[in-house]
Amino acid sequence: MPIDASTKIGRDVRIFQPELVNIYGAVIGDETRIGPFVEIQRGAIIGARCKIQSHAFIPEGVTIEDGVFIGHNVVFTNDVWPRAVDDMGTFVTDEWTLSRTLIKRGASIGSSAVLLPVIVGEGALIGAGSVVIRDVPDYAIVVGNPARVIGDVRTKRPRAGIAGDGKA
């Protein structure tokens, strides 16, 4: 599983096990970290200082802005009507519409979340295992299937110190 020469890789990008990723035709921003067993397809754009954990799938049409966290096994989709064959039983090849996803600056997506083509707002938090079918507002915390807003990271997330030390 190679890192194809068509990939544009920024300064100080770390791909921890390059022999265990499949990255082709994507743009990877400066200082981003990518774990093993990640696939990033042609046309995907990853910003600077992102963390992409193992087993993530990022297809064409996904744009991830700077400082975003993508947890283990996160899956993005880019086709809202996927199918293998048409009504005549012939394989579908080019008969699909690319649907785009935008993950804004500073968002965090928990492990095993699935995202349909949506916009995830700046600083938003997607809970682990959530299925995101609608746009997520800036700083919203969303969880569940389908994901729903349960809070705002600005009032829930510790601001300073170490979580649990009573000073956050």
Side-chain angles (χ1 to χ4, degrees), residues 131-154:
V131 178
V132 182
I133 64 171
R134 289 183 281 282
D135 292 350
V136 175
D138 291 349
Y139 306 104
I141 300 170
V142 301
V143 298
N145 179 7
R148 66 196 181 291
V149 175
I150 63 161
D152 186 307
V153 296
R154 294 170 292 192

Side-chain angles (χ1 to χ4, degrees), residues 92-161:
V92 174
T93 54
D94 295 329
E95 296 178 22
W96 68 286
T97 301
L98 175 66
S99 296
R100 299 189 176 278
T101 293
L102 173 62
I103 309 300
K104 292 187 177 179
R105 185 179 67 81
S108 294
I109 302 175
S111 294
S112 295
V114 176
L115 290 90
L116 276 63
V118 294
I119 296 171
V120 173
E122 182 173 327
L125 174 63
I126 310 299
S130 296
V131 178
V132 182
I133 64 171
R134 289 183 281 282
D135 292 350
V136 175
D138 291 349
Y139 306 104
I141 300 170
V142 301
V143 298
N145 179 7
R148 66 196 181 291
V149 175
I150 63 161
D152 186 307
V153 296
R154 294 170 292 192
T155 60
K156 302 278 186 185
R157 182 173 46 208
R159 287 290 177 213

Side-chain angles (χ1 to χ4, degrees), residues 8-14 28-33 48-49:
K8 295 180 178 140
I9 298 177
R11 173 185 51 78
D12 296 327
V13 169
R14 292 194 59 199
I28 312 293
D30 295 345
E31 301 176 26
T32 286
R33 308 290 184 246
R49 295 170 310 286

